[in-house]
Amino acid sequence: MRHRRKLAAVAVATALTAALSACGSDDSDDSTDETSESTPSPSDDASSDDEESDDAEATEDAGDDAPAAFDGELTEPGTDLALGDTATVPFSYAGDDGVIEVTVVEIREGDPADVADVDGADGMTPYHVTYEVTGLENTEGLGNMTISLDGLTADGNGASQLINFGSGVGGCDEESPDADWDGSTFETCDTFVSDQAVTQVAFAEGDDYSLWDDTQVTWS
């Protein structure tokens, strides 16, 4: 672009010089000037070709850096899975969209004494849900993400999730991937407290998976 502006400035200067010279010349000189000004400059064509080539290379480089689109199959909303099965689901974090795999490994009953001093959990039992997460698409955009599942009782009611800003109770620690996550599998854990047994776990995130219309993915 700088090169084009420079050429335009030179063309204007040339036109001004030709106009001043025309004051003392005849009509044949004017015709010569007009012919000269209407002739394309080889340098203009070369500059245009160079810029088009640069634009094409920049577009190609941008395409090389863009994350590959996910071309696999997502788990259907409303799917029921067994513990140990894997769901492939879309996930959004901080404005970035990606695709992850979620595998619920275990639902473990904890010790009520571990939550006896927690406000609102007195008389309840903790249930620890261990699961694994693997990134499939746009893992860089999902770095530092937090994900949580929903603990459900046998009748489908939701249990309260225990939010602990320190270390997890009963050896249940929540983990999240690094900012430069490459999609490698990591294990994390959520704790729920309930006066009924937590026997199911659900993924209910985004527009397609919801507890409100029974379109969640459920492990039991």
Side-chain angles (χ1 to χ4, degrees):
M1 296 296 291
R2 291 195 185 97
H3 191 36
R4 277 187 173 177
R5 283 197 293 268
K6 183 177 180 182
L7 289 176
V10 172
V12 171
T14 302
L16 289 174
T17 302
L20 292 173
S21 300
C23 294
S25 62
D26 56 18
D27 294 339
S28 61
D29 291 338
D30 292 341
S31 176
T32 302
D33 290 340
E34 291 175 0
T35 302
S36 174
E37 291 176 9
S38 64
T39 303
S41 169
S43 61
D44 286 340
D45 294 339
S47 175
S48 178
D49 292 341
D50 290 343
E51 290 182 355
E52 290 177 359
S53 176
D54 291 342
D55 291 342
E57 291 179 2
T59 301
E60 183 177 350
D61 291 342
D64 292 341
D65 294 337
F70 177 72
D71 58 1
E73 293 185 3
L74 297 174
T75 300
E76 288 289 334
T79 298
D80 291 323
L81 300 174
L83 296 179
D85 288 346
T86 298
T88 302
V89 291
F91 191 79
S92 298
Y93 177 72
D96 285 307
D97 299 324
V99 177
I100 60 175
E101 287 183 341
V102 180
T103 304
V104 176
V105 178
E106 179 186 40
I107 303 174
R108 175 172 54 89
E109 182 177 341
D111 185 352
D114 290 338
V115 295
D117 296 332
V118 177
D119 290 342
D122 185 30
M124 294 188 178
T125 300
Y127 292 87
H128 308 301
V129 175
T130 302
Y131 56 103
E132 296 176 344
V133 180
T134 303
L136 297 183
E137 179 189 32
N138 192 25
T139 56
E140 298 88 349
L142 298 181
N144 285 332
M145 74 172 189
T146 56
I147 176 175
S148 62
L149 303 182
D150 291 281
L152 306 175
T153 60
D155 56 7
N157 289 328
S160 298
Q161 184 172 357
L162 178 64
I163 306 300
N164 193 324
F165 295 101
S167 60
V169 299
C172 182
D173 291 313
E174 183 180 32
E175 301 290 342
S176 60
D178 295 332
D180 57 350
W181 187 35
D182 62 359
S184 299
T185 301
F186 68 93
E187 185 176 275
T188 185
C189 185
D190 296 335
T191 296
F192 303 90
V193 291
S194 176
D195 56 3
Q196 300 180 51
V198 172
T199 59
Q200 306 176 75
V201 179
F203 173 86
E205 296 274 359
D207 297 330
D208 297 326
Y209 304 87
S210 173
L211 291 170
W212 296 105
D213 54 10
D214 292 327
T215 54
Q216 72 275 5
V217 176
T218 306
W219 290 264
S220 58

